[in-house]
Amino acid sequence: MTRHLGLDLGGTNIKWVVLEGDGSPEVAASGSLPTNAEGGPETVSARLIEAGGAASTKHGPFDSIGLGVPGLFDSATGRVTLFPNLPGLWTGFPLRDRISAALGGPIAMINDARAFALAESTMGAGKGASIVVAMVLGTGVGGGITIGGRLHLGAFGTAGELGHQTVMPDGPMCGCGNRGCVEALTKAGALAALAGKATAEEVYEAAARGDETSRQAIAEVAGYLGIALANTVTLIGPEVVVIGGGIAAAGELLLAPLRAAIRERVTLVPVDRVSVVLAELGSSAGAIGAALAGRDQSEVRAR
């Protein structure tokens, strides 16, 4: 029985899971600890090492280790290139080497949204489909594309940034440096501001009670998301579109207008055969995807 560790670096918590098995892996153990992100790269890397070491002591040894991260990195060196939502001087930080040296093995790094996509397409809502598009909505907007069970990362390892499509030319500035990205218009903070609430969670709760301002805010956000997903469906032709993250708590208030936008805007793909569904793996998806990335990389090394 093979065993694979997945670590998911979040702004608030570091989550970890242990997967057992290769063909049809199952979650054997899981846990979390606070990230202490305000401490910057040194503190956060120490927390990752602490999480991995604790999991290894109790559930190891592991055949592979994967690390999901909230941003972009150089796939050749493992150095951070952009962590827009974590405080501190992250650019250039040798995160992969730091964790690898401490935990004593190679680390497969993967963007956290891509990890979500890999997890949901392998073990979640997209299981069994040949082409899956997954979008995760929260502090930012990320995503990923899997084809034949494998992530499509493009020539430069960065394909799948669904949240950084331009949907409003000359719109608000995005953390990536572009204007009018779907992320800038639909992230949790933007939704809360539209509804006049402190948090996105308050918007969902108010909408469920029938608050019209909150419902209109969700509808506006869904409109921009619908444009992005319609573009993606036309370009990729997936069988399943999986929606996850905090805003997915809005349920059908979000999914119904997304499905309507795809029906309205997509004319070259049989939209009646494209399912738009909620994610199934919850907050563990990122760590599960990281573990799967580690497993996949270990299989490549073994060939």
Side-chain angles (χ1 to χ4, degrees):
M1 178 73 73
T2 59
R3 196 172 285 115
H4 310 276
L5 173 65
L7 298 166
D8 178 28
L9 170 56
T12 303
N13 293 302
I14 293 167
K15 301 181 180 69
W16 60 267
V17 302
V18 176
L19 294 187
E20 289 186 345
D22 286 324
S24 298
E26 295 184 354
V27 176
S30 63
S32 68
L33 78 172
T35 304
N36 294 350
E38 66 280 359
E42 294 292 343
T43 296
V44 171
S45 57
R47 295 295 276 170
L48 283 166
I49 292 164
E50 180 182 347
S56 182
T57 298
K58 192 169 183 180
H59 304 286
F62 300 115
D63 295 277
S64 70
I65 302 174
L67 170 61
V69 297
L72 302 179
F73 56 91
D74 185 317
S75 59
T77 66
R79 290 179 177 269
V80 174
T81 57
L82 178 67
F83 277 13
N85 297 314
L86 284 183
L89 301 176
W90 280 98
T91 300
F93 186 77
L95 184 60
R96 186 174 66 193
D97 286 354
R98 187 69 60 87
I99 307 305
S100 177
L103 298 184
I107 304 292
M109 279 178 73
I110 182 173
N111 169 270
D112 56 1
R114 248 72 87 207
F116 163 81
L118 182 58
E120 287 291 343
S121 65
T122 304
M123 298 173 59
K127 183 178 180 180
S130 62
I131 302 178
V132 178
V133 165
M135 181 178 274
V136 59
L137 314 167
T139 303
V141 177
I145 299 159
T146 60
I147 300 173
R150 299 285 182 178
L151 281 170
H152 173 68
L153 296 175
F156 310 106
T158 58
E161 286 287 352
L162 306 180
H164 295 290
Q165 301 176 59
T166 301
V167 293
M168 180 188 286
D170 301 320
M173 182 64 73
C174 181
C176 74
N178 182 39
R179 287 188 176 276
C181 287
V182 67
E183 175 172 299
L185 292 158
T186 66
K187 61 186 180 181
L191 174 65
L194 280 172
K197 304 293 184 186
T199 66
E201 287 72 21
E202 289 184 14
V203 181
Y204 316 142
E205 292 167 1
R209 296 193 302 268
D211 179 69
E212 189 57 32
T213 300
S214 295
R215 285 175 173 260
Q216 288 177 359
I218 291 172
E220 182 170 337
V221 162
Y224 293 124
L225 290 171
I227 293 171
L229 286 177
N231 292 340
T232 303
V233 168
T234 298
L235 287 170
I236 306 299
E239 299 150 86
V240 179
V241 174
V242 180
I243 306 294
I247 197 174
E252 285 300 318
L253 282 175
L254 174 69
L255 292 190
L258 292 185
R259 294 186 184 116
I262 290 172
R263 286 195 302 270
E264 176 186 354
R265 297 179 182 277
V266 177
T267 61
L268 303 178
V269 173
V271 292
D272 58 320
R273 294 166 58 188
V274 179
S275 298
V276 181
V277 299
L278 292 176
E280 294 180 352
L281 298 177
S283 63
S284 295
I288 291 171
L292 290 169
R295 179 201 66 172
D296 292 348
Q297 182 170 291
S298 69
E299 289 177 352
V300 170
R301 287 197 304 267
R303 289 174 189 157

